[in-house]
Amino acid sequence: MEGVRGRLVPAPEPRRGDHVGVLVDPEGASLATWAPEVIVDARMRKRPPADTSVDQARLVVGLGPGFRVGVHAHAVVETARGHDLGRVLWSGEAAPNTGVPGEIGGYREERVLRAPAAGVWKPAAAIGDPVAAGQEVGRVDGTPVVAAVGGVVRGLLRGGLEVRAGEKLGDVDPRGERRHCFTVSDKANAVAGGVLEAVLARYPWGSS
């Protein structure tokens, strides 16, 4: 993304050159030995996490719904679109999950691609591909998944995954700007800015 690459690594490592190490550690076992100064829980589960707490690092930052300041994190960054997007909360919690996708180009739920049934997802399109309303973008066990609106495919689960009926498979950006698929979005920039603000509040520039 914008010149920064992710590379699978077997153990935690600092950033080197043009890549960031990506460690698969669903149980968080590496935290005990790595002992990071800052943890940012960006899983966006939208529910209270059972495995994140303020005891895990000097600064724990949670993104979006489910995190409560003082319990799960020292700071929470608002992820809901609107006036408070990217705001750092030092008390309370973020706005609850509404279950309604944010509006883009005048569309909300219509732009989301969902599984029509449970089964194995097989995409017929890729991120950045232009699609028309009614066009098939993949199948779940033979059942077609069609785009409700035209635009470009912006997000998409990889093929071969077992999915549940109604599960989000991807989304279509009705604005049709292909470059938006490969650059950091306005929402991501705002949330990242909030994380940086929280880190600098705990670790002022130039301090040790």
Side-chain angles (χ1 to χ4, degrees), residues 9-27:
V9 296
E13 65 172 33
R15 177 175 174 177
R16 296 176 180 174
D18 67 347
H19 78 270
V20 173
V22 178
L23 174 68
V24 179
D25 182 15
E27 304 302 326

Side-chain angles (χ1 to χ4, degrees), residues 38 40 59 61 63 77 86 88 90 188-205:
V38 178
V40 180
L59 175 64
V61 181
L63 305 188
V77 178
V88 181
W90 297 101
N189 264 322
V191 172
V195 172
L196 179 60
E197 179 184 338
V199 172
L200 291 178
R202 183 59 60 92
Y203 297 90
W205 184 257

Side-chain angles (χ1 to χ4, degrees), residues 13-105:
E13 65 172 33
R15 177 175 174 177
R16 296 176 180 174
D18 67 347
H19 78 270
V20 173
V22 178
L23 174 68
V24 179
D25 182 15
E27 304 302 326
S30 63
L31 294 177
T33 54
W34 191 25
E37 284 277 319
V38 178
I39 293 176
V40 180
D41 191 331
R43 292 175 292 178
M44 305 282 286
R45 289 183 167 182
K46 302 179 181 180
R47 61 180 185 272
D51 53 357
T52 302
S53 75
V54 293
D55 300 323
Q56 291 177 306
R58 184 178 173 190
L59 175 64
V60 178
V61 181
L63 305 188
F67 296 97
R68 178 173 288 278
V69 173
V71 178
H72 308 107
H74 299 97
V76 175
V77 178
E78 181 59 71
T79 60
R81 291 185 182 275
H83 180 74
D84 290 324
L85 175 63
R87 188 179 298 275
V88 181
L89 307 175
W90 297 101
S91 63
E93 54 190 305
N97 177 33
T98 64
V100 179
E103 181 179 331
I104 294 180

Side-chain angles (χ1 to χ4, degrees), residues 157-172:
L157 291 182
R158 65 180 176 84
L161 293 176
E162 288 275 355
V163 297
R164 303 181 303 274
E167 185 171 347
K168 181 178 178 180
L169 304 172
D171 63 279
V172 174

Side-chain angles (χ1 to χ4, degrees), residues 128-131 150-155 171-178 181:
D129 284 355
V131 294
V152 295
V153 178
R154 185 163 182 182
D171 63 279
V172 174
D173 189 333
R175 295 171 296 186
E177 290 283 348
R178 188 174 187 275
C181 304

